[in-house]
Each structure stands twice: as structure tokens, then as C-alpha cells.
């Protein structure tokens, strides 16, 4: 029966590892088989010791120590730093880590460039290990893997100009199909009960975590299917994907803790592309081995006594060739000795991209800047964006308080987990999952939106029903979500601020409906106004407040987005005939924001819609029509071909209109 280790047990295990007392344990043997491959573990411990002493960390040390603190807490991280700094530990570390770590003073940090320089040495050291194998697709098909391997790198010949060629706009999908028990565990009473868990990522930062249900009554010869949606990986992979999979005897550990560890594993994989340029493939196995060593060390600090594990990496060419061989299916063997042996069947395929890095640009003097792709913001939905203004009291009573504007963004990732990030005017922060009061991640089935209400952030999403909750931007916790099953649960909605209040606008059964949020009363949403439109189409809505009125863009049956407006009290509805937009391919492709241009400080409306020339299903960028309006009608337009597949988010932030799109 596997168990979750306590904080004192983790500290004791680290001392055991560093002293060599645990040399006969699985993790002890694993640590000693390749000191060079343990460079990331050593960097983490080196950084923990430096952090505990208050020294300034390198970027790599900061990232690694932050991850361990996120998983096990600041106290555990500090204890690890103290243990590593002890003279006995420093002496024992020489057999576990490369000289790059052990011969470096704690006053000097270790950064990415140091690790890059070590990659050729790691490649040479792991090349002859029986637990680390590099095979090509043809070898994989011949069943050369024995199950003894901990790390497998699968390569393939280039696919360009061959029958296996796959268009670059398509994403890789690696799915768990089934598993077969080749040998049940020994020493167990009754039949085995097992489950699988995995984490993966691609070089484009797409991350997936999977925790299977428990499979009971497993004995030698048993075969179980995973179903149609058990993805090991699903997303863009321009260079590679790496996945880590473990098979466990069923236990009663905390799913939230397991998911946190899996999420950390996925983040490590997403950061694995340390090497760029033409020499990257020559050290790919070294990158994978170093990352796998860190992953397995983290797992050894979390749980005990599992059956078997494996870290597998595929180059893009290997994935393409696998998709064209044997129906895309191949086997991986997990041999846990007395714990049992299982053969896992996976299936590789390619399909239209469902998640990608978001692109960011600004509107200045009626022109959009060149978009910049933000690779670590990997979204599987249209993003939602809002600007929040807060006041920071001055330290000196004679000075004025400081006003701070921050741009907040939420979106769904490929696991339907709501991710949140922010922009400080220069950099986009690393996205982190939105969590509930018990620390559980929040998932959304449909579009997620973020907005403001009286100087606070609010989130609204659909997961069976519509939920709305205040969200704390400092820790991403949602507070007491209100549930309404009937408010905008079928169509994508507009979520916008009206003065100090927040409104949700949706189209439903031929009606445009406006709901007002009242978070303090506990009643959630109440209807503010509604208007019947007889030519309502299937698309969602977009809306903005302009000169004291709410302007609503809705999909009509005539092939256009039409415009209605009403007062901010939801009365005096009227049609705005001069503001029709061509119907879009991915509703609601029309997006609206109001702003004042730098050279013309006049409130206007900005709209987007598709005017043809593109096909998102084929990966062809549509031409977007940018309309600039005032109350008299159309003032100016631009047409630009940009690869928008899901939609855009707009926000007025510090005097500039920002655009973030999928």
C-alpha cells in the first residue's frame, strides 16, 4: 500500500540520500547511476541552501526552489537548504551530483548556461546505461524495449516530403488505449487494484496531467480499456513532447496533492528545452535524462512503493512516423518486479490545434503593433482580459498614494483547468491555476470570463452550471462561488463593467438578456433587462458601454452581427442600423472595446469580425476587419490577416488598447 510522506519523513529521506544510507533503495540506486544527470536536483538543493541563507538566486535556482516550495511548503524547502549546507551532506553530495554543483561555493549560483554546458557530458554518461534507451520508431515497432528502462527517447527520420508528413498547424495527440497485466504482483492478498497517473508537456509549453480511475480485480492476463479521452498529451509540439507515466497499487492518498506533483512535473517538462540551435538533437537524451532525474526525485519525496514508472520523449519526426505506422499504436512495458508487470498501449495521431500560445499586440494611432507570441500562455479557449486599478498607500505621509493598473487574463488550458496570469506593462507572469477554498483546481467546460466589480476581480465560468465568484489576485483563490443554472449557460456571454457594477449579457431563445451581479447580497445574478429579437442567430454576444449606453452585438440570421443599445438601467432599447458586422466563423468573433486614441482623445468603439480569406479549420489566417465607430456610424477600417482561431480579448490598460488572441 503506497503512502504520502510527511515533512519530517521527507527531511529524513534527503539526509539518507545524501549520506548514502539509502543506497539499496530504488531512489538511492537511481540517484547513483548518473551523477551528471542529477544536475537539476543538485541545482535545486544548492539554490535551497542559498535561499535559506538569504542570497540572491539565479533565475534557474529561483524557478526550481519556487516549485519545491509550492509542492511541499516554505518550511520544508528551508529545511532542505539547511540539510544540504551541513558539512556531512556536502561531502556525501560528491557521489550524487556533478562537480559543477559540488565544487561550487554556496555564495555562487548555478544558472541555465551552466547546465547547458554540461549537457554533452550528461549525454555521454547516460548513453550506455541499461535504464536509459534511445530508439527509433522502427525499433520501437519491433518490441525492443524490455521494461527495465526508466527513460526512453524515441526518434525518427525527418518526415518532410514523405508519406508520413503532417502539416505544422496540426497538433500531436498521444492517447492511452489499453493496458494488459502480464504478471500480477506477488505477496498481495486477492487480485490487484491499480491506477495510472501521468504528466506531459511539449516544447510549446502545452501541459497535460491525467489521473486514471482505479482498475480493480486485475490478475495475469487482464486487459482494461482507458476509454476515448485518456490523453497522455494533446497539443502543439514543434520539437518534442515528454511524458512521465506511473502505475500504482490503489491507495487512499489525496488526489489534490497528486495533481500538484503532476502539474509540477509538467512544468519541468515544459522548461526542458534548454538547448537551442542545430546541436539540440545531439543532446536531447541528456535533456530528457536530467529532467527525468528531477521528476523521479520529486516523486520519491511524495509517495512510497509504486509498481513502475517511465519517462518517454518523442521528437516531432518520431510522432509523425508513429502516426503513420500500425494505426498509430505501439506498446510500452512497465516491469515493477514483485509489484507486477504491465504492457501499456498508446496511440499517436494528429489533428487540428486545440491549444496554442497567445499573441499580444497594442493599438496605437489607429494601427495595431506587430503581434508578439507569448509561448508560456498556452490556451485552449478564447482568453478573457480586464484591467484592475488598485491604490498602494505611500510610505511617507507627505507623498501621494501610488495608483497601480494591472492587466489580468484568464483562459482554459488543454486540461480544462482555468489558468490566470497578469501583465505589469513589460512582462506576462507565469500562469497558475485558479483554485478553490480547499486548494482544488477549478475546471471549466465552456468559456471563462474575468471582470471587475467595485474595484474587485470576479470570475464567471460554466461547469455543468454557471458559477460566479470573487477571485483574489494574490493567490488566485475563488471565494464562495454562486451557482445559477439558467444564466447564460448555453451561449458564450459578454462580461463587462458598468460603472462600479458588473453585467453579463447573453442571447437565449431569441432574447437578449442583461443580468446584473450583486455579490454582497448572496443572490448572485438578477435580470436587469431583456429584449426580444426575431432574427437571432446561433452565435454569442459581444458588448461594451459607450456614452452612457450598453451596445450589444448579436448574431442575426441575415449573415451579420447586428447592434442593439439600451441604457445602463436596461431600458430604452433601440437598434443601431449603421453598425452591422459580417457574421464570423467562430462566434463571437466580433469583439468590442471602447477607448480614446492617443492622437484623438475621443471615446470610440473598436470591433473585429472576419471578412473572409481564411479557414481556421485548415489553419489559414482569416482577414480581420477592424472597425472604429462613434455614434454617427463608421469612421475608419483596417483589414489585417492574423491567425486567429478561437477569438480575441481586448482591454483598455494604462492609456493603451491591448489585444490578446488565440
Amino acid at each position: 500500500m503506497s503512502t504520502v510522506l510527511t515533512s519530517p519523513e521527507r527531511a529524513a529521506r534527503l539526509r539518507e540520500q545524501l549520506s548514502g544510507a539509502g543506497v539499496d533503495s530504488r531512489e538511492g540506486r537511481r540517484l547513483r547511476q548518473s551523477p551528471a544527470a542529477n544536475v537539476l536536483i543538485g541545482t535545486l538543493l544548492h539554490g535551497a541552501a542559498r535561499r535559506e541563507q538569504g542570497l540572491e538566486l539565479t533565475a534557474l535556482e529561483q524557478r526550481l526552489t519556487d516549485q519545491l516550495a509550492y509542492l511541499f511548503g516554505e518550511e520544508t524547502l528551508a529545511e532542505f537548504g539547511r540539510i544540504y549546507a551541513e558539512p556531512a551532506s556536502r561531502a556525501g553530495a560528491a557521489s550524487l551530483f556533478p562537480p559543477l554543483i559540488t565544487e561550487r561555493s554556496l555564495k555562487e549560483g548555478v544558472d541555465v548556461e551552466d547546465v547547458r554546458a554540461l549537457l554533452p557530458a550528461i549525454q555521454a554518461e547516460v548513453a550506455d546505461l541499461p535504464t536509459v534507451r534511445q530508439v527509433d520508431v522502427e525499433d520501437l515497432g519491433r518490441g525492443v524495449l524490455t521494461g527495465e528502462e526508466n527513460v526512453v527517447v524515441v526518434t525518427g527520420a525527418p518526415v518532410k516530403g514523405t508519406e508520413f508528413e503532417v502539416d505544422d498547424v496540426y497538433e500531436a495527440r498521444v492517447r492511452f488505449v489499453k493496458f494488459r497485466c502480464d504478471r500480477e504482483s506477488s505477496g498481495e492478498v486477492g487480485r490487484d487494484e491499480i491506477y495510472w497517473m501521468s504528466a506531459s508537456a511539449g516544447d510549446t509549453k502545452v501541459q497535460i496531467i491525467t489521473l486514471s480511475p482505479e482498475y480493480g480485480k486485475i490478475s495475469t492476463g487482464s486487459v482494461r480499456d482507458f476509454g476515448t479521452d485518456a490523453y497522455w498529451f494533446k497539443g502543439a509540439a514543434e520539437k518534442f513532447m515528454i511524458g512521465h507515466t506511473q502505475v500504482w497499487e490503489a491507495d487512499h492518498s489525496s488526489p489534490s496533492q497528486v495533481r500538484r506533483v503532476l502539474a509540477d512535473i509538467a512544468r519541468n517538462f515544459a522548461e526542458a528545452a534548454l538547448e537551442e540551435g542545430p546541436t539540440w538533437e545531439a543532446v536531447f537524451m541528456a535533456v530528457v535524462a536530467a529532467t527525468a532525474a528531477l521528476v523521479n526525485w520529486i516523486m520519491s519525496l511524495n509517495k512510497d512503493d509504486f509498481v513502475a514508472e517511465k519517462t518517454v520523449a518523442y521528437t516531432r519526426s518520431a510522432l509523425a512516423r508513429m502516426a503513420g505506422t500500425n494505426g498509430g499504436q505501439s506498446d510500452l512495458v512497465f516491469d515493477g518486479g514483485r509489484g507486477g508487470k504491465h504492457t501499456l498501449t498508446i496511440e499517436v495521431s494528429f489533428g487540428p490545434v486545440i491549444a496554442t500560445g497567445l499573441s499580444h499586440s497594442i493599438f496605437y494611432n489607429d494601427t495595431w503593433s506587430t503581434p508578439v507570441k507569448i509561448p508560456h500562455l498556452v490556451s485552449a479557449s478564447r482568453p478573457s482580459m480586464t484591467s484592475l486599478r488598485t491604490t498602494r498607500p505611500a510610505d511617507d505621509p507627505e507623498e501621494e498614494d501610488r495608483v497601480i493598473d494591472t492587466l489580468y487574463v484568464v483562459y482554459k488550458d488543454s486540461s480544462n483547468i482555468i489558468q490566470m496570469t497578469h501583465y505589469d506593462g513589460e512582462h506576462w507572469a507565469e500562469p497558475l491555476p485558479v483554485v478553490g477554498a480547499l486548494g482544488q483546481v477549478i475546471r471549466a467546460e465552456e468559456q471563462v470570463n474575468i471582470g471587475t466589480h467595485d474595484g474587485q476581480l470576479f470570475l464567471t465560468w460554466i461547469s455543468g452550471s454557471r458559477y460566479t465568484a470573487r477571485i483574489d489576485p494574490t493567490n488566485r483563490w475563488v471565494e464562495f462561488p454562486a451557482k445559477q443554472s439558467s444564466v447564460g449557460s448555453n451561449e458564450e456571454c459578454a462580461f463587462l463593467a458598468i460603472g462600479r457594477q458588473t453585467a453579463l449579457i447573453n442571447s437565449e431563445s431569441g432574447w437578449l438578456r442583461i443580468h446584473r451581479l450583486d455579490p454582497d447580497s448572496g443572490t448572485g445574478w438578477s435580470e436587469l433587462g431583456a429584449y426580444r429579437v426575431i432574427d437571432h442567430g446561433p452565435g454569442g454576444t459581444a458588448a461594451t458601454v459607450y456614452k452612457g449606453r450598453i451596445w450589444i452585438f448579436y448574431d442575426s440570421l441575415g449573415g451579420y452581427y447586428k447592434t442593439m443599445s439600451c441604457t445602463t438601467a436596461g431600458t430604452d432599447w433601440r437598434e443601431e442600423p449603421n453598425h452591422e458586422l459580417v457574421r464570423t466563423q467562430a462566434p463571437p468573433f466580433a469583439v468590442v472595446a471602447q477607448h480614446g486614441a492617443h492622437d484623438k482623445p475621443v471615446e470610440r468603439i473598436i470591433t473585429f469580425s472576419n471578412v473572409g480569406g481564411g479557414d481556421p479549420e485548415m489553419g489559414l489566417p482569416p482577414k480581420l476587419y477592424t472597425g472604429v465607430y462613434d455614434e454617427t456610424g463608421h469612421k475608419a477600417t483596417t483589414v489585417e490577416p492574423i491567425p486567429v482561431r478561437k477569438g480575441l480579448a481586448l482591454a483598455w490598460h494604462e492609456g493603451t488598447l491591448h489585444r490578446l488572441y488565440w
Side-chain angles (χ1 to χ4, degrees):
M1 183 69 68
S2 57
T3 58
V4 175
L5 302 184
T6 64
S7 294
E9 286 173 334
R10 291 185 183 114
R13 176 159 291 186
L14 177 62
R15 276 200 167 93
E16 185 179 80
Q17 291 170 348
L18 293 175
S19 68
V23 68
D24 292 328
S25 66
R26 182 193 68 89
E27 60 271 9
R29 292 192 301 270
R30 184 77 178 263
L31 278 170
R32 280 166 171 75
Q33 72 177 4
S34 175
N38 297 332
V39 61
L40 294 178
I41 306 172
T43 301
L44 192 159
L45 293 173
H46 188 87
R50 286 165 42 76
R51 181 164 168 164
E52 202 274 333
Q53 295 178 12
L55 300 173
E56 184 178 355
L57 304 186
T58 67
L60 180 60
E61 291 172 339
Q62 188 72 51
R63 176 172 68 80
L64 293 174
T65 56
D66 281 349
Q67 287 178 357
L68 198 73
Y70 166 74
L71 289 174
F72 304 130
E74 290 285 353
E75 291 185 6
T76 296
L77 176 67
E79 178 67 10
F80 275 27
R82 289 189 289 270
I83 291 172
Y84 182 76
E86 293 171 356
S89 296
R90 294 282 286 167
S95 64
L96 298 181
F97 309 120
L100 163 68
I101 305 296
T102 59
E103 295 178 2
R104 185 160 295 194
S105 165
L106 291 180
K107 295 188 180 300
E108 185 180 357
V110 179
D111 208 344
V112 171
E113 294 301 327
D114 298 311
V115 177
R116 280 179 178 157
L118 191 65
L119 287 175
I122 300 174
Q123 186 87 2
E125 189 170 282
V126 302
D128 296 326
L129 292 176
T131 54
V132 180
R133 291 282 300 278
Q134 179 167 317
V135 298
D136 59 28
V137 173
E138 287 71 21
D139 288 336
L140 193 66
R142 288 192 288 268
V144 299
L145 299 182
T146 65
E148 183 182 3
E149 302 86 2
N150 299 130
V151 178
V152 179
V153 174
V154 184
T155 60
V159 296
K160 290 294 183 183
T162 75
E163 60 182 310
F164 301 110
E165 183 172 348
V166 176
D167 196 302
D168 287 340
V169 302
Y170 275 46
E171 67 182 6
R173 298 175 182 176
V174 185
R175 184 174 68 88
F176 295 138
V177 178
K178 62 184 178 182
F179 70 90
R180 182 187 68 243
C181 177
D182 300 317
R183 184 183 64 246
E184 60 191 276
S185 64
S186 58
E188 290 289 324
V189 178
R191 295 183 175 180
D192 295 348
E193 293 184 347
I194 66 170
Y195 70 96
W196 300 75
M197 65 183 196
S198 69
S200 70
D203 58 286
T204 57
K205 312 300 186 198
V206 176
Q207 301 171 29
I208 293 279
I209 60 174
T210 301
L211 202 60
S212 82
E214 293 181 4
Y215 296 94
K217 299 181 179 179
I218 299 297
S219 59
T220 301
S222 295
V223 177
R224 295 287 188 274
D225 292 330
F226 285 97
T228 60
D229 201 33
Y231 283 102
W232 192 8
F233 179 79
K234 183 164 61 172
E238 296 176 4
K239 285 186 175 181
F240 65 85
M241 69 132 305
I242 307 179
H244 180 81
T245 300
Q246 299 186 346
V247 55
W248 292 78
E249 294 177 5
D251 63 12
H252 304 285
S253 59
S254 167
S256 62
Q257 174 68 13
V258 172
R259 287 192 178 278
R260 290 178 71 178
V261 175
L262 291 174
D264 186 73
I265 290 171
R267 277 195 295 274
N268 279 310
F269 286 154
E271 298 293 336
L274 295 172
E275 182 71 14
E276 301 291 341
T279 63
W280 176 81
E281 288 194 2
V283 293
F284 182 44
M285 189 163 67
V287 173
V288 177
T291 307
L294 176 63
V295 163
N296 281 277
W297 181 75
I298 289 173
M299 288 303 305
S300 76
L301 298 173
N302 186 60
K303 300 181 75 177
D304 234 347
D305 300 333
F306 68 95
V307 177
E309 51 79 26
K310 202 175 299 294
T311 299
V312 187
Y314 302 91
T315 64
R316 167 81 179 194
S317 295
L319 290 171
R321 287 194 173 274
M322 290 175 68
T325 305
N326 194 34
Q329 293 193 2
S330 59
D331 292 337
L332 295 170
V333 179
F334 290 74
D335 192 344
R338 291 174 54 86
K341 180 179 179 181
H342 303 274
T343 295
L344 175 68
T345 299
I346 66 168
E347 180 183 83
V348 176
S349 62
F350 282 80
V353 174
I354 63 163
T356 189
L358 297 173
S359 294
H360 176 221
S361 59
I362 63 173
F363 196 62
Y364 182 84
N365 284 346
D366 290 335
T367 302
W368 285 103
S369 67
T370 301
V372 176
K373 191 166 186 176
I374 316 298
H376 61 280
L377 304 187
V378 181
S379 174
S381 70
R382 178 183 66 79
S384 180
M385 181 163 55
T386 192
S387 185
L388 180 68
R389 171 164 290 186
T390 56
T391 302
R392 180 178 297 172
D395 297 331
D396 188 338
E398 297 184 0
E399 296 180 355
E400 293 185 357
D401 293 343
R402 184 183 176 193
V403 176
I404 301 173
D405 289 315
T406 306
L407 203 57
Y408 289 96
V409 172
V410 293
Y411 55 83
K412 290 192 315 174
D413 68 12
S414 51
S415 295
N416 286 337
I417 296 173
I418 301 175
Q419 300 284 343
M420 182 175 179
T421 183
H422 65 272
Y423 179 70
D424 61 7
E426 295 183 8
H427 306 288
W428 288 98
E430 191 72 22
L432 293 170
V434 172
V435 294
L438 300 178
Q440 76 279 18
V441 296
I442 304 296
R443 283 179 163 81
E445 298 168 359
E446 304 292 343
Q447 178 62 40
V448 57
N449 288 286
I450 191 169
T452 61
H453 181 102
D454 198 15
Q456 299 179 86
L457 287 180
F458 278 79
L459 199 67
T460 182
W461 71 95
I462 296 173
S463 182
S465 300
R466 176 169 291 281
Y467 292 85
T468 306
R470 183 184 288 108
I471 180 169
D472 186 335
T474 62
N475 56 23
R476 310 168 320 284
W477 282 27
V478 295
E479 303 174 6
F480 310 111
K483 174 182 176 182
Q484 294 88 16
S485 60
S486 60
V487 179
S489 58
N490 296 321
E491 302 284 359
E492 188 169 346
C493 303
F495 193 56
L496 72 157
I498 303 176
R500 297 175 66 181
Q501 298 190 10
T502 291
L504 185 147
I505 301 171
N506 71 297
S507 55
E508 178 187 1
S509 302
W511 286 84
L512 299 178
R513 299 188 182 276
I514 304 176
H515 289 81
R516 179 170 56 90
L517 178 64
D518 187 0
D520 298 323
S521 69
T523 59
W525 294 98
S526 59
E527 189 163 274
L528 180 67
Y531 186 82
R532 177 75 173 176
V533 288
I534 60 174
D535 63 345
H536 171 255
T541 58
T544 190
V545 177
Y546 176 64
K547 295 201 171 180
R549 295 181 67 84
I550 304 172
W551 292 58
I552 304 171
F553 291 75
Y554 69 95
D555 189 10
S556 73
L557 295 175
Y560 291 89
Y561 264 78
K562 290 187 175 181
T563 312
M564 295 292 301
S565 72
C566 66
T567 67
T568 54
T571 61
D572 186 25
W573 291 79
R574 70 186 186 210
E575 187 174 356
E576 301 291 345
N578 296 325
H579 300 79
E580 290 186 344
L581 302 173
V582 176
R583 179 183 286 170
T584 63
Q585 293 184 357
F589 225 48
V591 187
V592 187
Q594 67 180 61
H595 82 295
H598 289 267
D599 61 337
K600 302 173 184 176
V602 177
E603 281 192 337
R604 295 181 294 174
I605 299 176
I606 305 295
T607 61
F608 293 86
S609 65
N610 176 34
V611 294
D615 186 344
E617 292 298 323
M618 297 297 294
L620 301 176
K623 293 180 179 178
L624 290 191
Y625 174 101
T626 303
V628 183
Y629 296 95
D630 61 15
E631 66 273 21
T632 65
H634 186 224
K635 289 199 68 168
T637 64
T638 61
V639 176
E640 53 180 338
I642 59 175
V644 178
R645 294 188 176 91
K646 290 284 187 180
L648 305 98
L650 293 175
W652 180 238
H653 174 68
E654 292 189 328
T656 303
L657 183 63
H658 291 254
R659 176 178 69 184
L660 198 65
Y661 63 89
W662 200 104

